[in-house]
Amino acid sequence: MTTRETGPGAPDVLRYTAFSSDPDGGNPAGVVLDASGLDEARMLAIAAEVGYSETAFLTPPPPGRDGGPDAAPGRGFTVRYFSPAAEVPFCGHATVAAAVALAERIGPGELVFATPAGTVPVTVAEDGGALRATLTSVEPYVADIAGDDLAEALAALGWHTGELDRELPARIAYAGARHLVLAAATRERLAALDYDFERLRALMLRLDLTTLQLVWRERGSGSEAGTGTETGPGTVFHVRDPFPVGGVVEDPATGAAAAAFGGYLRALGLIAAPAVLTLHQGHDMGRPGLLEVELREGDPRVRVSGAAARIG
């Protein structure tokens, strides 16, 4: 479906869902493939009208190769991401949605996005007759969170320390945007999400957080025979992402947080590369999505893959 503003020069706003091949699953995103001439105020207004957690706005790439995307002609773009309430530095699901929307028009292959967080390569390939995108994050980092700030986050969520998984300690993780990783000890704790919107929003604004990455890890471990790549129950997670700073109660599928979480697991020595992680998100919202996170040896960046489908 396309939403068209009225008036001269109004852009086409495409609607795609990411991390699902079902339009009723995953995380919907708006995509404006030609945002030339739109200023920040208009982008924000369009994102608010669309009402999804983010809308991606594409314009031509930066001039030259210095600081700009190293892409084939016609396959490099500048991308900005707006939630209904604010601009965010990077958004994974809108990147996947935009990449698939482009691939439907210019063909699968390599794309390069110049984002406020840095250069993000994206590969789009056909998979079983559908298109699937893989983004490569900027270099991640992990930071500690102060005890008082952690206590405030738990209070805003209505969680207590005894409900946390001690094997996955609380940290702030970044791979284009900052997310607070908190691990629930049980699936039931993760499922029962009912938080103080304004209290959590205030804390997140102060700590420059985009979402909270709430996770529950399925127990066990495994490896793919003959490859040395870790897979199996120990690499399967269920996640939820409150997003009050974007004016959204919860994000149904969060690629930026998935990338940050992959960097977190590697930095803390909880997962060794090479590894492929499976993240289930959106089930508790009735919009199931699937995110695949890949860690490679010798490359600190994180790859996040998923399908996308046009809505309407």
Side-chain angles (χ1 to χ4, degrees):
M1 181 169 65
T2 301
T3 298
R4 184 184 294 274
E5 285 188 325
T6 59
D12 286 340
V13 184
L14 308 174
R15 296 172 184 247
Y16 280 74
T17 194
F19 300 114
S20 175
S21 57
D22 181 353
D24 293 326
N27 195 356
V31 179
V32 178
L33 293 179
D34 183 7
S36 301
L38 299 181
D39 60 17
E40 292 182 5
R42 195 158 175 217
M43 291 183 198
L44 182 60
I46 291 169
E49 180 182 351
V50 171
Y52 294 155
S53 54
E54 273 96 6
T55 295
F57 296 85
L58 280 63
T59 54
R65 299 172 73 92
D66 293 336
D70 185 8
R75 301 192 71 89
F77 302 86
T78 297
V79 187
R80 296 177 70 176
Y81 309 94
F82 284 81
S83 76
E87 184 174 11
V88 297
F90 178 64
C91 172
H93 86 275
T95 294
V96 168
V100 169
L102 285 167
E104 290 178 347
R105 290 154 178 81
I106 63 176
E110 304 296 324
L111 300 164
V112 183
F113 289 170
T115 79
T119 300
V120 177
V122 188
T123 302
V124 184
E126 290 189 17
D127 181 11
L131 292 174
R132 180 179 176 86
T134 299
L135 67 87
T136 300
S137 77
V138 299
E139 189 164 340
Y141 69 74
V142 175
D144 291 336
I145 180 170
D148 289 348
D149 291 333
L150 175 57
E152 177 63 11
L154 294 176
L157 288 170
W159 291 20
H160 59 77
T161 56
E163 295 175 309
L164 297 178
D165 183 344
R166 301 294 184 179
E167 296 180 7
L168 299 171
R171 295 288 190 277
I172 293 172
Y174 170 91
R178 285 163 56 91
H179 308 265
L180 173 58
V181 177
L182 291 174
T186 66
R187 182 68 178 89
E188 291 74 19
R189 172 66 280 180
L190 184 68
L193 181 62
D194 182 15
Y195 69 92
D196 186 325
F197 187 94
E198 291 301 331
R199 185 173 182 177
L200 187 60
R201 178 178 179 274
L203 174 68
M204 293 173 68
L205 287 172
R206 181 164 60 80
L207 298 181
D208 189 27
L209 300 174
T210 298
T211 74
L212 266 61
Q213 176 81 332
L214 307 179
V215 308
W216 174 75
R217 183 178 188 171
E218 289 190 5
R219 294 303 169 187
S221 61
S223 62
E224 188 174 343
T227 68
T229 299
E230 189 174 354
T231 62
T235 56
V236 176
F237 297 85
H238 297 256
V239 303
R240 302 186 73 172
D241 281 73
F243 186 33
V245 296
V248 176
V249 173
E250 184 177 356
D251 209 17
T254 317
F261 184 55
Y264 156 96
L265 291 170
R266 177 165 49 192
L268 271 60
L270 298 167
I271 294 288
V276 176
L277 317 173
T278 301
L279 274 58
H280 297 280
Q281 189 174 356
H283 292 72
D284 296 302
M285 301 176 66
R287 294 196 63 92
L290 187 67
L291 301 85
E292 183 179 279
V293 177
E294 182 185 3
L295 307 177
R296 296 185 182 179
E297 288 184 293
D299 187 348
R301 300 173 300 171
V302 180
R303 287 160 177 82
V304 179
S305 301
R310 190 160 181 174
I311 298 172

